[in-house]
Amino acid sequence: MTRDPRRNYATAMHALGIDIGGTGIKAAPVDVATGQLLAARQKVDTPHPALPDALAAVVKELNTSFAWSGPVGITFPGVVTDGVTRTAANLDKSWIVVDAAALFAEATGNQVRVLNDADAAGVAEMKFGAGIGERGTVLMLTFGTGIGSALFTAGVLVPNTEFGHIEIRGRDAESRASEHAKELHDLSWGKWAGRVEEYLEHMEALLSPHLIIVGGGISKESDKWVPRLTGIRARIVPAALLNEAGIVGAAMATASSGIPDTSGPAGTGN
Ligand code: BGC
């Protein structure tokens, strides 16, 4: 019998990372010790409406396409406690309250850990990207459909911060300063950077971070807006892992007891 070489991924230090976003769902097997992807990542469009069963079918499809047997880490764009999704600002509201760890464990036949998308991206950046070796207070922010946040001190994550939803000028911050808001209102780089700076001033007043890591798709063009953020004391650096941070962080969550939270009742995590 020929052995499927892909099955070799499923050793203790390898996990399948799946990153659920509003437009696409990306996956790849990851070596969690090095942060390297073990195969080219695959991407599937997010089904609309993004109902739990429809997303579970996509997760199953991705798991099958890698012939994966082993731990699976999955990001979710909302609050996740104990494997249960609690909010869904930019996803179908039927996700409020779902035992996602159990749903995806059943779909994949594997042990699954589910965590917030920005937390996953932050964990990956701290270990393999822009936050390597940073012991002070680090705030990772992802600018995309919404604004996601991950907060670290001494390298330890405080899970499920939701700093994209602080109120600025009477509105949810992400509705003014996300990448989506820039597109929706056709804002110039200067105008949008002004909104981001106002947002960061608020965050700095509340948290006094030493370092702010800015991620999300728009961090690819950081030269167009980060140099304009002159009124912020903290160092501001673009994320280093870009599109892969969510996948890598999701996979890392399956193997690390240093990522506090939220193991699911499905017997996932630690
Ligand atoms: C959600 C966060 C999420 C962020 C980025 C926000 O609207 O509330 O949980 O991390 O979007 O997806």
Side-chain angles (χ1 to χ4, degrees):
M1 195 181 88
T2 349
R3 209 158 149 238
D4 181 347
R6 289 175 298 179
R7 294 226 173 249
N8 290 336
Y9 299 145
T11 64
M13 297 308 285
H14 296 174
L16 182 64
I18 302 181
D19 190 17
I20 297 181
T23 54
I25 303 177
K26 297 171 280 186
V30 177
D31 181 333
V32 299
T34 63
Q36 296 301 310
L37 304 196
L38 295 163
R41 90 191 159 126
Q42 297 202 16
K43 188 172 174 188
V44 176
D45 287 344
T46 305
H48 288 289
L51 301 172
D53 284 348
L55 253 64
V58 173
V59 163
K60 180 177 181 169
E61 181 189 328
L62 288 165
N63 190 93
T64 305
S65 74
F66 288 106
W68 188 257
S69 169
V72 180
I74 302 182
T75 74
F76 181 81
V79 170
V80 184
T81 55
D82 302 320
V84 175
T85 53
R86 303 275 170 194
T87 69
N90 295 305
L91 216 59
D92 197 87
K93 297 294 173 251
S94 57
W95 278 98
I96 305 172
V97 176
V98 171
D99 187 343
L103 178 73
F104 295 142
E106 200 190 323
T108 59
N110 285 314
Q111 286 210 323
V112 173
R113 186 160 178 195
V114 184
L115 76 166
N116 173 263
D117 56 355
D119 284 353
V123 159
E125 287 291 335
M126 292 299 285
K127 178 89 184 202
F128 300 116
I132 292 175
E134 293 288 342
R135 307 304 296 163
T137 300
V138 180
L139 177 64
M140 162 98 191
L141 295 169
T142 62
F143 293 83
T145 314
I147 297 177
S149 60
L151 183 67
F152 298 83
T153 187
V156 177
L157 170 71
V158 179
N160 286 309
T161 57
E162 284 286 321
F163 295 130
H165 298 294
I166 66 163
E167 195 179 300
I168 296 186
R169 297 180 190 260
R171 292 182 54 203
D172 216 22
E174 72 175 23
S175 71
R176 294 177 43 81
S178 64
E179 178 183 22
H180 177 65
K182 179 178 186 305
E183 284 161 10
L184 189 68
H185 306 297
D186 201 15
L187 302 175
S188 65
W189 285 108
K191 186 121 202 210
W192 181 69
R195 289 186 176 195
V196 172
E197 180 160 71
E198 183 179 34
Y199 171 61
L200 295 185
E201 279 166 3
H202 275 76
M203 295 316 304
E204 184 152 70
L206 294 170
L207 299 171
S208 299
H210 296 90
L211 174 68
I212 300 174
I213 303 174
V214 292
I218 204 159
S219 62
K220 271 186 263 178
E221 295 175 278
S222 62
D223 55 320
K224 301 208 175 88
W225 56 283
V226 171
R228 297 176 196 249
L229 307 173
T230 50
I232 309 298
R233 277 195 318 279
R235 271 183 303 133
I236 304 175
V237 294
L241 303 179
L242 300 173
N243 277 334
E244 289 174 6
I247 295 175
V248 174
M252 287 169 67
T254 66
S256 172
S257 53
I259 303 171
D261 102 346
T262 80
S263 353
T268 58
N270 32 61

